[in-house]
Amino acid sequence: MEAILTKLFNVFSIFFEFICFVFLFYCLFYFCSFVQFLSKAIYMLHVSLVFVHYMIRTFSSFSEFSKAAQELGLEMDLQALTTLDVLFFEVYKEFLILNIRDYGENPNNLLVLGKNDSLFYSEKPLAAKDYKLFRLTMQEQFGESTVISFLALREAMNSYSLRFEKLHTDLDEVEKTLEIDKLDDLGKAFRKLSDKLDDYVDLLLKLRDRKVPQVNTKYISYDYNLLSTKAQHTLDRTKNQISRIGGLRSEIEVQETQKLNQRIGYLSEVVKRLTAITIILMI
C-alpha cells in the first residue's frame, strides 16, 4: 500500500511540476510580449519627440517664406532668385542660400539655412517619413539643415531623371522618322538638361568640400555618394544622347546629299536630252 501511495505521489509531483512549467512558460511569453510592446511604444514616442523637436519650417507660400527669412535677419531679395534659371548657391553672412531648380511646374526649391533655423520653400512638400529616416542625423549639430538640403537635392535629381527618360523616349520615336525640326528641338532640350546636370554635379562637389557648416555630408555619406553617382551617370547618359543626335543629323545630311545628287543627275540627264533635241531641230 505504501508503494502505491509513493507512486501516486510521484505521479502527482510530476504532473504538478508540468503544470508549473506550463504556467511559467505562459507567464514568460506574455511578459516578453508586454516588454516588446512597451519597447515599441517607447521607441515611437522617442521618434515623435525627436521629430517634433527638430521640426523643419517648410512653406508652400512664398510670401510667408520670405517673411520668415526677413524675421531671421536675412536682407536679400529672394523673389529675384526665383527668376534665375540656374542652381543658386551663396553664403550670405551667417546664412547659406540655395535654390535647387527642377522641372516641375514651379521649379523653385529655396533653402535658407542658418545656425539655428532652416527654412524651406517648395510647392512640392516633403513627406514626414523622409525626415524620420534621418531622425538620428537630425540630432547632430547642423543635422537638420543637412537633411533638408539632401532631401531637396534628391527630389530635384528625381525630376532630372524623369526629364531624361521622357526625352530619351521622344528621341527613340524621332529616330524612326528622322524629322529634322523635332531632332533640333530635342537637341536643345538635351543640352539644357546637360547644363542643369553640370551645375547640379558642381553643387554636390561644393557641398562635399564642407566649406559651409550647414551641410555636413559626412552625416549622410552613403546616401550622398549614391546621389552623386546617380547624377554623374545621368549626366554621362545625357551627353551620350547629344552625341547620338549629332550622329542622326549626320545621317540626315548624308540622305539629303544623296537626294540632291540624284536630283542633279536627273537634271543633267534632262539637259542632255534637251540639248540633243535642240541640235536635231537646228539640223
Side-chain angles (χ1 to χ4, degrees):
M1 185 68 180
E2 184 178 352
I4 295 174
L5 292 174
T6 302
K7 288 183 179 180
L8 288 174
F9 178 77
N10 291 335
V11 170
F12 279 114
S13 297
I14 294 173
F15 180 74
F16 180 75
E17 289 177 358
F18 175 75
I19 294 297
C20 290
F21 174 78
V22 172
F23 177 76
L24 289 174
F25 175 79
Y26 274 102
C27 288
L28 182 62
F29 174 78
Y30 284 112
F31 177 75
C32 291
S33 299
F34 175 74
V35 170
Q36 186 177 13
F37 170 78
L38 186 62
S39 298
K40 287 184 177 180
I42 293 173
Y43 171 76
M44 294 304 296
L45 179 62
H46 171 72
V47 169
S48 300
L49 289 175
V50 167
F51 182 64
V52 171
H53 180 67
Y54 290 94
M55 180 68 70
I56 296 170
R57 298 170 64 186
T58 61
F59 303 84
S60 58
S61 168
F62 183 82
S63 59
E64 294 179 4
F65 169 77
S66 181
K67 180 180 179 181
Q70 290 177 357
E71 290 174 353
L72 293 180
L74 179 62
E75 300 174 356
M76 176 182 282
D77 185 6
L78 296 175
Q79 183 67 50
L81 297 183
T82 62
T83 63
L84 301 176
D85 192 17
V86 294
L87 272 69
F88 185 83
F89 170 93
E90 183 176 334
V91 177
Y92 181 80
K93 295 182 179 180
E94 75 259 21
F95 298 100
L96 172 62
I97 316 297
L98 294 171
N99 189 17
I100 308 169
R101 291 175 64 90
D102 57 27
Y103 277 95
E105 185 175 348
N106 184 349
N108 296 293
N109 300 281
L110 270 164
L111 290 139
V112 174
L113 308 175
K115 292 182 179 180
N116 302 310
D117 295 272
S118 296
L119 308 181
F120 176 52
Y121 162 73
S122 177
E123 293 189 357
K124 303 170 285 295
L126 300 170
K129 64 179 182 179
D130 292 328
Y131 297 112
K132 291 181 180 180
L133 289 173
F134 299 96
R135 60 187 180 277
L136 297 179
T137 300
M138 293 173 68
Q139 298 180 59
E140 302 287 346
Q141 184 181 19
F142 294 113
E144 182 178 311
S145 56
T146 297
V147 169
I148 189 62
S149 299
F150 172 76
L151 294 176
L153 287 165
R154 189 178 66 179
E155 289 301 308
M157 187 64 237
N158 290 338
S159 173
Y160 299 153
S161 296
L162 291 174
R163 178 62 173 173
F164 172 84
E165 295 300 334
K166 174 66 168 58
L167 294 176
H168 186 269
T169 301
D170 292 344
L171 183 56
D172 287 341
E173 294 299 320
V174 172
E175 189 175 19
K176 299 174 184 178
T177 60
L178 293 179
E179 298 180 52
I180 188 67
D181 291 337
K182 292 184 178 180
L183 195 62
D184 286 341
D185 291 339
L186 283 172
K188 293 176 182 178
F190 269 115
R191 285 191 292 273
K192 183 176 181 179
L193 176 58
S194 178
D195 291 340
K196 282 186 178 294
L197 285 167
D198 265 324
D199 292 342
Y200 183 85
V201 171
D202 183 60
L203 176 59
L204 291 178
L205 292 175
K206 287 180 181 177
L207 294 174
R208 180 176 287 169
D209 287 342
R210 301 174 187 170
K211 294 180 179 178
V212 288
Q214 289 90 339
V215 182
N216 193 337
T217 60
K218 72 178 182 180
Y219 294 152
I220 50 170
S221 57
Y222 177 76
D223 297 279
Y224 199 84
N225 288 336
L226 285 180
L227 183 64
S228 299
T229 301
K230 182 179 181 180
Q232 187 60 54
H233 178 63
T234 306
L235 175 59
D236 293 339
R237 293 183 67 193
T238 302
K239 291 181 178 180
N240 288 338
Q241 298 310 304
I242 294 174
S243 299
R244 177 186 173 191
I245 290 174
L248 291 175
R249 283 193 60 86
S250 298
E251 183 178 343
I252 292 173
E253 290 174 0
V254 169
Q255 291 181 0
E256 292 297 325
T257 300
Q258 291 175 347
K259 290 179 181 179
L260 180 60
N261 290 335
Q262 290 175 357
R263 292 193 189 99
I264 292 174
Y266 174 76
L267 290 174
S268 297
E269 189 64 29
V270 170
V271 170
K272 288 180 181 179
R273 292 180 181 181
L274 290 175
T275 302
I277 293 172
T278 302
I279 294 173
I280 292 173
L281 292 175
M282 290 178 64
I283 296 174

